[in-house]
């Protein structure tokens, strides 16, 4: 064991034993050098390890502080959806969410899937956008090629290699956000009336694609630690004429799990055995707290049946609408769908993102965001544990910035949402994540942006409102 | 008759009698004042009338010059498509066109539907884009509301009033280009297997939507001066279970006609009688040479059955992908389709276009472009008349920047296109504008950008190639 690892271990033990408590300032580098008889650089390296482990954080010109510990006490239960194909409902609830204009919003938004847009490491992107728009030649205002900018596709290929995918720029199709990628993928694979297997809970954006395409959702039981049940999926594949599997296996939205690699591999093998296509949503994949980031299903795909969909909406900014897909053997049909859907995607955002990635800003920004999101996850779990009634199940996200809560009793989160909205607080009820409005006793929280006292007070207020509803439930 | 109208009439007669010829410099204002005994302002106003009539143009610091006269000698014939529903083909031809990246292009592009992007009156748009992207607050990088920016919807409402439409901002939905609007409209109205009536020739983008949605196209005979035959359409409505009529009645692409107002009114009445919806593509409508611009079908729609689709892609720039639709009574379904298709459209391009319109730059730019496009139309018709074989039918566009040629004999324009591409020239063959590859003896030319000697040489070369093919056709 390296010297700095020993120092890090010592400090970790002291934190675990309660010698330093959450929020405490840890000893200064100088103090520790003297105490442990090690060099400044050793202590600095040890503190870096603590930071990486999410145990401590550096505050500029102040020192290191103990962070709240992740307490994955009570996880949400394994979901038990109806095991038959269902029509998707819930559109009015989703509409209420997406019809909002963020600048009109007077609510404290605790629920939407929006990254931290105030991050300093995003600034080069804004600079590039400004410069490109001001100085671009006429071709920048013209239609781009239908597949998208070659410069951006090259960068996508480079990034995808980190998830184990060997792609060629011709395998990649730039889209208008991940939503378009998912929509093209499902429209390529299915016809009205077809059945699509989905993880459960499942992202409402994809569920609504099923609704619009008149597809039926077959929701598969899903474990909040390991993802979709392969056993249940296999049974379903035997029983129903499933056309496609739609799934978010890495940094799942909303549950936060990452499927273990072996299970991902087994899932692709299952799809091969039943000759069914997989639509893989990897939009949060680059925000995994693991390093290197986990592999995609696509990386196990040796016959082109996985349509990998992603975007820069969660890692960078959503408002540019830059997404991409690697549609495998379905490339030609997907390209046709892309053409009829929106034609070529906007030109300059593609060039700006390509430059941002190429110059290393993307990886720098990711590093910052991962540190921030992991720290925020732990703080948010701490707050929920503190302010919500006992018996509240809490997810333990392996990446991204979304937390899933399963409330005790029979709380109706749609009603809760309405009540809280009138108090200026916004949460996303769990029912949006099911075809038939299940998970009404669950809710999704966002911990991307600064964890201010206002946010803490908001979480506390949500917890109190839940407790009050729970009390009403008790027989008098 | 006003004094300046008399002066304008005198000058017009002299031009028509050949006293001043095409390209000649007209007498200076001072000379005319002296000759005709009128004031400077009268002569200036007379010259403005000549400009508006497309007879003369002002060249800065030089004077007024006689423009080529429109010579709508031989129009293309009224189309006679197959009068039964057909599956749409031709995707590989369209793909070849849209897979191009404009900046890689080494061809002289004579065929694509791209406006003049070098126009000075576009500069404020680039300035605004640059400033917005550089200085925008975080919300500008966020998702916009699903309907689109209220600022832009307000401007759309203002512009739509000029085509006789009374809309409310809530009636308008911002889309990612007109292609998305058309796609949402058709997906809202139809299911696979349904029949859609279209004008013929018809824009290949919409034809490909029909293909992707597995719809059948019923191509209706269309007159190159007055548009779709209402008589043929009525017969078709009686005979076939038509779900929607898809049509571009103003500044038609590719034929350039504008349906007379009475026929537009009659078309809406017909749709009402047969209770069928109309998808109206008005993307070139604001580029009409008439002032005020012609009314839309939508302006005659009193029961919400017209889904009006448009964009700023032809009037401003295509690369921003800012379009819109007014889906009438289908608003809720169209909004759902919009959500599943791409989510909210990109935020900042909407704000930039809204500012551009609001500050009057849009109307200023339109004025410039209309003058330019009308002048270019006449020059292009002149070149085609001069350089193409006798018997070539030429459209007489009432707006926009696209010319349609019907070649004599049995010329195959797909073959012609390939031959010309090898010489560095790009044309769009007519077969793209038909479900079944009709109009193979037709081609579309673009006269938006500067009519340089290179373009003239290109047109001349196309004419020669056509003549050579025609000669080969003659029996030896």
């Amino acid at each position: 064991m390296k010297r700095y690892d020993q120092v890090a271990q010592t400090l970790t033990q002291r934190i675990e034993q309660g010698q330093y408590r959450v929020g405490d300032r840890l000893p200064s580098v100088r103090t520790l050098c003297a105490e442990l008889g090690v060099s400044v650089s050793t202590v600095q390296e040890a503190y870096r390890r603590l930071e990486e482990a999410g145990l401590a954080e550096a505050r500029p010109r102040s020192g290191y502080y103990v962070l709240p510990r992740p307490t994955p006490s009570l996880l949400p239960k394994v979901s038990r959806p109806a095991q038959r194909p269902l029509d998707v409902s819930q559109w009015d609830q989703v509409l209420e969410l997406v019809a909002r204009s963020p600048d009109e919003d007077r609510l404290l938004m605790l629920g939407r899937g929006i990254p931290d847009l105030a991050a300093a490491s995003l600034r080069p992107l804004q600079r590039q956008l400004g410069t490109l728009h001001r100085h671009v030649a006429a071709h920048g205002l013209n239609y781009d090629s239908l597949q998208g900018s070659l410069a951006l596709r090259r960068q996508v290929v480079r990034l995808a290699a980190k998830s184990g995918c060997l792609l060629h720029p011709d395998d990649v199709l730039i889209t208008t956000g991940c939503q378009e990628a998912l929509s093209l993928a499902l429209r390529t694979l299915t016809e009205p009336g077809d059945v699509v297997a989905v993880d459960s809970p499942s992202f409402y954006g994809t569920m609504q694609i099923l609704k619009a395409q008149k597809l039926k959702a077959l929701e598969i039981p899903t474990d909040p630690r390991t993802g979709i049940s392969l056993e249940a999926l296999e049974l379903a594949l035997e029983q129903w004429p499933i056309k496609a599997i739609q799934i978010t296996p890495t940094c799942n939205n909303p549950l936060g799990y990452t499927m273990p690699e072996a299970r991902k591999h087994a899932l692709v093998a299952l799809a091969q055995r039943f000759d069914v296509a997989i639509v893989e949503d990897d939009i949060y994949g680059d925000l995994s707290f693991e390093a290197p980031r986990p592999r995609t299903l696509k990386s196990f795909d040796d016959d082109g049946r996985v349509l990998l969909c992603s975007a820069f909406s969660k890692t960078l900014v959503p408002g540019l609408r830059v997404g991409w897909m690697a549609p495998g053997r379905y490339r030609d049909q997907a390209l046709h769908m892309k053409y009829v859907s929106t034609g070529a995607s906007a030109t300059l955002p593609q060039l700006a993102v390509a430059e941002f990635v190429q110059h290393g800003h993307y990886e720098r920004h990711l590093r910052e965001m991962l540190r921030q999101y992991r720290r925020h996850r732990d703080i948010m779990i701490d707050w929920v544990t503190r302010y919500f009634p006992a018996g509240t199940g809490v997810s333990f996200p392996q990446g991204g910035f979304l937390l899933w809560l399963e409330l005790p009793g029979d709380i109706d989160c749609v009603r809760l949402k309405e009540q809280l909205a009138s108090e200026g607080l916004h949460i996303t009820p769990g029912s949006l994540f099911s075809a038939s409005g299940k998970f009404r006793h669950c809710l999704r929280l966002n911990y991307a942006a600064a964890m201010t006292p206002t946010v803490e007070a908001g979480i506390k207020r949500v917890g109190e409102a839940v407790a009050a509803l729970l009390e009403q439930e008790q027989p008098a």
Side-chain angles (χ1 to χ4, degrees), chain A:
Chain A
M1 190 187 273
K2 291 257 167 83
R3 197 81 186 93
Y4 54 73
D5 279 328
Q6 290 172 349
V7 175
Q9 205 178 44
T10 306
L11 292 169
T12 305
Q13 281 164 358
R14 290 182 184 173
I15 291 170
E16 282 170 351
Q17 289 156 3
Q19 190 170 341
Y20 313 131
R21 290 186 312 174
V22 172
D24 277 2
R25 187 170 172 280
L26 288 162
S28 72
V29 174
R30 196 151 41 149
T31 312
L32 274 183
C33 288
E35 186 199 327
L36 303 172
V38 293
S39 71
V40 168
S41 65
T42 300
V43 173
Q44 282 177 326
E45 191 56 31
Y47 270 136
R48 235 175 50 79
R49 298 281 139 153
L50 253 63
E51 267 193 290
E52 279 175 9
L55 290 170
E57 69 168 335
R59 295 192 192 152
R61 282 180 294 280
S62 172
Y64 286 87
Y65 287 80
V66 180
L67 282 175
R69 295 302 307 277
T71 48
S73 39
L74 181 63
L75 282 170
K77 286 185 275 297
V78 176
S79 67
R80 294 271 166 246
Q83 301 237 21
R84 58 186 157 67
L86 294 173
D87 289 328
V88 175
S89 57
Q90 307 302 311
W91 166 235
D92 36 337
Q93 289 289 330
V94 176
L95 178 60
E96 208 180 297
L97 185 65
V98 294
R100 287 177 191 290
S101 172
D103 52 330
E104 295 163 17
D105 233 309
R106 298 284 172 279
L107 297 181
L108 177 61
M109 295 297 281
L110 300 171
R112 257 195 101 172
I114 295 166
D116 184 5
L117 301 175
S121 46
L122 276 178
R123 269 181 219 143
L125 182 63
Q126 273 179 273
R127 263 204 307 278
Q128 275 154 348
L129 281 164
T131 311
L132 272 170
H133 278 97
R134 200 178 268 274
H135 300 296
V136 78
H139 82 255
L141 300 174
N142 207 337
Y143 294 107
D144 205 327
S145 87
L146 182 59
Q147 298 92 316
S149 133
L150 181 60
L152 180 56
R153 285 184 284 133
R154 284 195 178 122
Q155 295 306 316
V156 164
V157 165
R158 194 168 70 69
L159 294 176
K162 301 192 175 188
S163 73
C165 286
L166 291 178
L167 300 174
H168 182 274
D170 282 349
D171 299 328
V172 176
L173 179 53
I174 304 300
T175 59
T176 303
C178 192
Q179 186 67 20
E180 186 176 44
L182 294 165
S183 184
L184 300 178
L186 284 162
R187 287 167 65 197
T188 292
L189 296 171
T190 63
E191 298 193 8
D194 284 348
V195 178
V196 176
V198 297
D199 41 16
S200 174
S202 194
F203 169 51
Y204 47 78
T206 347
M207 296 300 262
Q208 293 301 318
I209 298 174
L210 302 192
K211 179 177 169 64
Q213 287 299 106
K214 303 191 174 70
L215 302 169
K216 286 180 189 299
L218 183 57
E219 298 172 297
I220 306 292
T222 298
D223 186 295
R225 287 165 306 125
T226 57
I228 195 168
S229 160
L230 296 180
E231 301 67 27
L233 180 61
E234 186 171 355
L235 282 173
L237 285 163
E238 277 164 8
Q239 200 177 350
W240 302 100
I242 291 172
K243 268 293 185 63
I245 301 164
Q246 202 292 316
I247 194 170
T248 308
T250 309
C251 309
N252 177 268
N253 171 14
L255 277 172
Y257 64 79
T258 289
M259 278 180 84
E261 209 168 273
R263 293 181 71 82
K264 284 180 176 167
H265 199 156
L267 174 57
V268 174
L270 199 60
Q272 282 176 342
R273 184 146 72 81
F274 286 88
D275 193 18
V276 58
I278 298 178
V279 179
E280 178 178 20
D281 181 352
D282 190 55
I283 192 167
Y284 290 96
D286 277 1
L287 292 176
S288 171
F289 300 145
E290 257 180 77
R293 62 145 289 172
R295 289 179 62 171
T296 46
L297 297 176
K298 181 81 182 163
S299 74
F300 297 103
D301 173 32
D302 52 21
D303 60 359
R305 69 175 62 249
V306 177
L307 297 89
L308 176 61
C309 301
S310 192
F312 294 93
S313 304
K314 307 302 180 186
T315 48
L316 300 181
V317 301
L320 291 180
R321 313 306 294 119
V322 178
W324 59 272
M325 70 190 298
R329 63 162 89 154
Y330 303 96
R331 178 180 178 277
D332 292 354
Q333 300 99 300
L335 200 60
H336 188 239
M337 279 294 173
K338 168 62 179 149
Y339 173 62
V340 305
S341 167
T342 54
S345 286
T347 311
L348 292 175
Q350 297 185 49
L351 300 180
V353 172
E355 278 190 25
F356 188 83
V357 179
Q358 193 180 350
H359 294 162
H361 298 302
Y362 181 77
E363 270 108 338
R364 208 165 301 135
H365 177 64
L366 271 193
R367 274 198 301 277
E368 288 299 322
M369 290 298 101
L370 289 179
R371 224 191 319 257
Q372 170 173 328
Y373 293 155
R374 188 163 51 184
R375 196 172 66 228
H376 287 190
R377 172 196 66 184
D378 296 340
I379 296 172
M380 188 64 110
I381 289 177
D382 188 57
W383 288 349
V384 168
T385 311
R386 202 175 307 167
Y387 299 127
F388 276 64
T392 299
V394 187
S395 65
F396 189 60
Q398 302 304 298
F401 43 74
L402 299 169
L403 197 70
W404 180 256
L405 306 188
E406 188 175 60
L407 303 181
D410 201 23
I411 306 283
D412 177 357
C413 286
V414 176
R415 208 179 119 204
L416 178 67
K417 184 202 73 172
E418 275 150 27
Q419 181 191 324
L420 290 170
S422 69
E423 300 178 24
L425 293 170
H426 174 267
I427 59 163
T428 301
S431 44
L432 271 62
F433 299 83
S434 157
S436 54
K438 270 184 162 270
F439 308 115
R440 228 179 147 95
H441 63 303
C442 298
L443 62 90
R444 194 183 72 175
L445 295 175
N446 177 321
Y447 53 76
M451 301 299 272
T452 59
T454 314
V455 176
E456 181 173 8
I459 298 296
K460 188 170 175 214
R461 177 65 201 115
V462 180
E464 286 167 1
V466 171
L469 286 174
L470 208 55
E471 211 150 281
Q472 285 171 27
E473 263 191 13
Q474 312 296 325

